[in-house]
Amino acid sequence: MINAYFEYGQQEINHLRKKDKKLGAAIDRIGIIQRRVNPDVFAALVESIVAQQISTKAAATVNSRLTALCGADFAGLHGLAVQEIQACGMSTRKAGYIKGIAEAAASGAIDFAALHKMTDQEIIKTLTVLSGVGLWTAEMLLIFSLSRPNVVSYGDLAIRRGMMRLYGLTDLPKDKFARYAKRYAPYGSVASLYLWEIYGQEV
């Protein structure tokens, strides 16, 4: 599969520099960030369910087993029993979530191919009706599958901690978080990439 990355460039960087000097300085220090995206929303959602609360390495192993079992596009998942999905190395609960997602796709209850035509809020509303899919999962899909430009997730602990580290904050109530997120708009997703990096680098 050809690697795809979240695309951004000088326009987004210049905007964030202008709106926030501290973030701008961090962007200059860190440079361009390459984060992979998976444009197949259904596959990306299945992978995100698999990855919940386990290591990246373990998730990769489970996903490779799923791929071997039902094909690279996961299209055959709806025809599998929950027990067959679970046997790839996950909990019965996760297997049930994945089975439910596959059935929603197969029945047309959710048209994954049409999600790119919807607004961010419409996508979140559509996906969070699925068991196992909460707001954070939907927001991560907006960034890492649909490449939406303006997503800053309050539910993401690393983003909050990155923001606190960047601005030297000891607490971050939701209203203050929202003010920073509004400052980053309309390129909040790019700001999120840097906040993750700031937290990860412990700078």
Side-chain angles (χ1 to χ4, degrees):
M1 188 177 81
I2 297 173
N3 285 333
Y5 298 93
F6 188 93
E7 293 186 4
Y8 69 99
Q10 209 58 47
Q11 178 176 320
E12 293 85 352
I13 288 171
N14 288 343
H15 174 85
L16 294 172
R17 278 198 192 115
K18 181 179 178 181
K19 293 292 185 179
D20 193 299
K21 293 188 184 303
K22 287 188 176 181
L23 181 58
I27 290 170
D28 290 341
R29 181 179 70 250
I30 294 167
I32 292 293
I33 294 172
Q34 287 193 322
R35 288 292 296 267
R36 284 187 173 88
V37 297
N38 182 352
D40 183 335
V41 186
F42 174 71
L45 181 55
V46 170
E47 289 169 356
S48 72
I49 296 295
V50 168
Q52 288 173 1
Q53 300 179 321
I54 62 174
S55 70
T56 301
K57 183 178 180 181
T61 298
V62 174
N63 279 314
S64 68
R65 290 172 182 165
L66 275 176
T67 301
L69 187 64
C70 64
D73 60 358
F74 291 160
L77 271 174
H78 74 280
L80 300 177
V82 170
Q83 293 78 6
E84 292 176 285
I85 298 171
Q86 186 273 332
C88 291
M90 70 190 81
S91 68
T92 302
R93 176 176 290 184
K94 275 190 187 180
Y97 292 157
I98 290 171
K99 174 73 171 177
I101 292 165
E103 288 178 343
S107 69
I110 293 181
D111 184 353
F112 282 87
L115 290 176
H116 72 280
K117 300 175 184 176
M118 299 181 184
T119 67
D120 292 359
Q121 288 305 313
E122 286 170 343
I123 293 166
I124 289 169
K125 185 177 179 180
T126 298
L127 292 180
T128 53
V129 302
L130 294 165
S131 295
V133 182
L135 175 59
W136 177 84
T137 299
E139 288 174 331
M140 294 305 101
L141 284 171
L142 288 175
I143 300 176
F144 295 118
S145 184
L146 292 157
S147 295
R148 293 299 171 95
N150 193 36
V151 181
V152 188
S153 174
Y154 183 76
D156 192 285
L157 181 61
I159 285 181
R160 296 203 309 274
R161 288 182 173 173
M163 193 179 282
M164 291 171 72
R165 184 166 289 150
L166 178 63
Y167 302 114
L169 304 173
T170 55
D171 68 332
L172 186 59
K174 197 167 187 176
D175 59 338
K176 185 179 286 188
F177 179 95
R179 287 198 296 273
Y180 284 118
K182 186 175 181 180
R183 184 185 297 178
Y184 306 148
Y187 303 122
S189 298
V190 177
S192 293
L193 297 183
Y194 285 95
L195 293 169
W196 275 311
E197 192 72 15
I198 289 164
Y199 173 67
Q201 290 184 349
E202 297 187 356
V203 295

